[in-house]
Amino acid sequence: MSHPTTPDQATASFAPADLYAEIQQFYARQMGLLDDGRPDDWADTFTTDAVFAEASRLAEPLRGREVIRASSRARQERLDADKIDFRHWLGMLDVRPQDDGSVRTRAYALAMRTPRGGQLEIFASVVCHDHLVRVNGAWQVRQRDLTHDGSARD
Amino acid sequence: MSHPTTPDQATASFAPADLYAEIQQFYARQMGLLDDGRPDDWADTFTTDAVFAEASRLAEPLRGREVIRASSRARQERLDADKIDFRHWLGMLDVRPQDDGSVRTRAYALAMRTPRGGQLEIFASVVCHDHLVRVNGAWQVRQRDLTHDGSARD
Amino acid sequence: MSHPTTPDQATASFAPADLYAEIQQFYARQMGLLDDGRPDDWADTFTTDAVFAEASRLAEPLRGREVIRASSRARQERLDADKIDFRHWLGMLDVRPQDDGSVRTRAYALAMRTPRGGQLEIFASVVCHDHLVRVNGAWQVRQRDLTHDGSARD
């Protein structure tokens, strides 16, 4: 699950402002759906054949929107039962347009939760690599690779 | 204090890049004023009839710029006395232009403080819904609704 | 190390969207190089005569790219030895174009680390003031001033 950035990539041209603003808003809304407790709408932001990989957490990637949907519904039920507000905070976004019109992104993410009446806990720093494609005019995630800081490296 | 996002809204078109960049900078500067210890300049970023509501913290919203000013001056005096550096960090910004030229935003916010010589404490995750209007060419907050994670829901 | 924002500056016009998006991506990539463990590529994002000042941490600023390079290499060796994943998270970015084509920025930064198999620790809130110049088409840092929250003020 290594995504080395070559020197070439580091100096590659930047994504244009309209695309960059669009992807920033895409993530604000996508993570907002998940954090608002709407796992079904969140699952619909993935392509039907999407792959969701979480190195060090998932033995096998989740394959397909319906598998992602089932997983996120189960997760939401646990959060509801435990009365936990959860936030996914993405930032430090890099956007690299691909020749085929798709987009590859890298972002830092913080995972945090606050139990009802309890203290905020920011418990994980994660690096997120996405492959985004446009489907009927809307961005969707075709592939997501999450790498947790502090996990063993190859 | 519920702001449900409908599926329609989730797939609504994105704010154009120039507006999005403008609002990002507005927040960087507005929160910078507050964090730099300038409550008067900060208060001036609200409309004269602004409403500042903080569910779960304020029994009643603050109504009007001068009430907001008095509140933020008193807050700053406490921070100065306690020698605390305070930061308001906004991110995950969504911007929705309205037909009348105003803008509605949603952002995640983290509240954090560092006492002189002490440790950083990130103590609250908050969701911020603003209604922004342009007054003499400058954005101002007409309505701000803050909801703290971990607070009781209706 | 004071960078007061005057009321004039607070109401100054915003950076255009294309510049703002470019600088956001510059920071995502620059900090990504450092956090990916590439101190040499990171050092190359500074001008040859760059000054790196960290009030309250460095007795004297680092002067020159090669001094910055040596310092960041030594830092990386310590992180590797200690098996620590480190992240520099910048946000709340303000960008002020200068008449000579250079750019002055202000950003909030969080410094965080996760030891192998251990817990995330977000341990410092820092304000970063940069002077960026374009060299052969690429942005480079000519001057960086870091101020840690909680440090003594003049």
Side-chain angles (χ1 to χ4, degrees):
Chain A
M1 202 52 55
S2 169
H3 296 265
T5 307
T6 69
D8 269 5
Q9 287 181 307
T11 55
S13 63
F14 297 114
D18 53 353
L19 177 64
Y20 193 71
E22 208 169 298
I23 303 299
Q24 284 180 303
Q25 290 176 84
F26 168 77
Y27 282 117
R29 294 184 190 181
Q30 196 207 25
M31 295 303 158
L33 291 173
L34 189 60
D35 298 341
D36 281 350
R38 298 169 56 191
D40 278 284
D41 293 322
W42 184 75
D44 289 336
T45 63
F46 289 81
T47 64
T48 53
D49 63 347
V51 176
F52 186 111
E54 196 164 356
S56 80
R57 298 292 168 107
L58 293 171
E60 289 295 322
L62 305 178
R63 296 187 182 279
R65 180 191 287 163
E66 295 314 313
V67 173
I68 294 170
R69 186 190 309 278
S71 169
S72 63
R73 280 181 178 168
R75 174 186 171 279
Q76 187 60 44
E77 285 174 12
R78 291 192 301 272
L79 292 174
D80 287 345
D82 295 342
K83 293 188 165 44
I84 288 175
D85 287 330
F86 204 104
R87 300 280 160 211
H88 294 82
W89 190 305
L90 266 73
M92 298 295 282
L93 176 68
D94 192 18
V95 174
R96 298 180 188 273
Q98 306 296 301
D99 288 342
D100 62 359
S102 69
V103 160
R104 293 191 181 272
T105 67
R106 163 178 160 141
Y108 288 177
L110 288 173
M112 60 191 79
R113 57 190 162 210
T114 312
R116 195 65 44 85
Q119 295 297 308
L120 167 66
E121 181 193 14
I122 307 179
F123 64 95
S125 167
V126 180
V127 180
C128 176
H129 286 88
D130 272 359
H131 185 204
L132 304 179
V133 295
R134 238 192 257 270
V135 179
N136 298 328
W139 289 106
Q140 292 187 347
V141 181
R142 172 175 279 169
Q143 169 95 27
R144 173 162 293 175
D145 291 309
L146 303 180
T147 308
H148 285 247
D149 283 352
S151 57
R153 293 296 183 277
D154 302 333
Chain B
M1 201 52 52
S2 169
H3 296 265
T5 307
T6 68
D8 268 3
Q9 288 181 307
T11 55
S13 63
F14 297 115
D18 52 353
L19 177 64
Y20 193 70
E22 209 169 298
I23 302 300
Q24 285 181 303
Q25 289 176 85
F26 168 77
Y27 283 116
R29 293 184 190 182
Q30 196 207 25
M31 294 303 157
L33 291 173
L34 189 60
D35 297 341
D36 281 350
R38 297 169 57 191
D40 277 284
D41 293 322
W42 184 75
D44 289 337
T45 63
F46 289 81
T47 64
T48 54
D49 63 347
V51 176
F52 187 111
E54 196 164 357
S56 79
R57 298 293 167 106
L58 294 170
E60 288 297 321
L62 305 178
R63 296 189 183 279
R65 180 192 286 164
E66 295 314 313
V67 173
I68 294 170
R69 187 189 309 279
S71 169
S72 63
R73 279 180 179 168
R75 173 186 172 280
Q76 188 59 45
E77 286 173 13
R78 291 191 301 271
L79 292 175
D80 288 345
D82 294 342
K83 293 188 164 44
I84 287 175
D85 288 330
F86 204 105
R87 300 281 160 209
H88 294 83
W89 189 307
L90 267 73
M92 298 296 281
L93 176 67
D94 192 18
V95 174
R96 296 180 189 273
Q98 307 296 301
D99 288 342
D100 62 359
S102 69
V103 161
R104 292 190 180 273
T105 67
R106 163 179 160 140
Y108 289 177
L110 288 173
M112 59 191 80
R113 58 190 162 209
T114 313
R116 196 65 45 85
Q119 294 297 309
L120 167 67
E121 182 194 14
I122 306 179
F123 64 95
S125 166
V126 180
V127 180
C128 176
H129 286 88
D130 272 0
H131 185 205
L132 304 179
V133 295
R134 238 192 257 269
V135 180
N136 298 329
W139 290 106
Q140 292 186 347
V141 180
R142 172 174 279 168
Q143 169 94 28
R144 174 163 293 174
D145 291 309
L146 303 180
T147 308
H148 285 247
D149 283 352
S151 57
R153 294 294 182 279
D154 302 334
Chain C
M1 200 53 53
S2 170
H3 296 266
T5 307
T6 69
D8 268 5
Q9 287 181 307
T11 55
S13 63
F14 297 114
D18 53 354
L19 178 64
Y20 193 72
E22 210 170 296
I23 303 298
Q24 285 180 304
Q25 289 176 85
F26 169 77
Y27 283 117
R29 293 183 191 182
Q30 196 207 25
M31 295 302 157
L33 291 173
L34 189 60
D35 298 340
D36 281 349
R38 297 168 58 191
D40 278 283
D41 293 322
W42 184 75
D44 289 337
T45 63
F46 289 82
T47 64
T48 53
D49 62 348
V51 176
F52 186 111
E54 196 164 354
S56 80
R57 297 293 167 107
L58 293 171
E60 290 295 322
L62 305 178
R63 296 188 183 280
R65 181 192 286 163
E66 295 314 312
V67 173
I68 294 170
R69 187 191 308 279
S71 169
S72 64
R73 279 181 180 168
R75 173 186 172 281
Q76 188 59 44
E77 285 174 12
R78 291 192 300 272
L79 292 175
D80 287 346
D82 294 342
K83 292 189 165 49
I84 287 176
D85 287 330
F86 204 104
R87 300 281 159 209
H88 294 82
W89 190 306
L90 268 72
M92 298 297 279
L93 176 68
D94 193 17
V95 174
R96 297 180 190 271
Q98 307 296 302
D99 288 343
D100 63 359
S102 68
V103 160
R104 292 191 181 272
T105 68
R106 162 179 160 140
Y108 289 176
L110 288 173
M112 60 191 79
R113 58 191 161 209
T114 312
R116 196 65 45 84
Q119 294 297 309
L120 167 66
E121 183 194 13
I122 307 180
F123 64 96
S125 166
V126 180
V127 180
C128 176
H129 286 88
D130 272 0
H131 185 204
L132 304 180
V133 294
R134 237 192 257 269
V135 179
N136 297 329
W139 290 106
Q140 292 186 347
V141 180
R142 172 174 279 168
Q143 169 95 29
R144 173 162 294 174
D145 291 309
L146 303 180
T147 308
H148 284 246
D149 283 352
S151 57
R153 293 295 183 278
D154 302 333

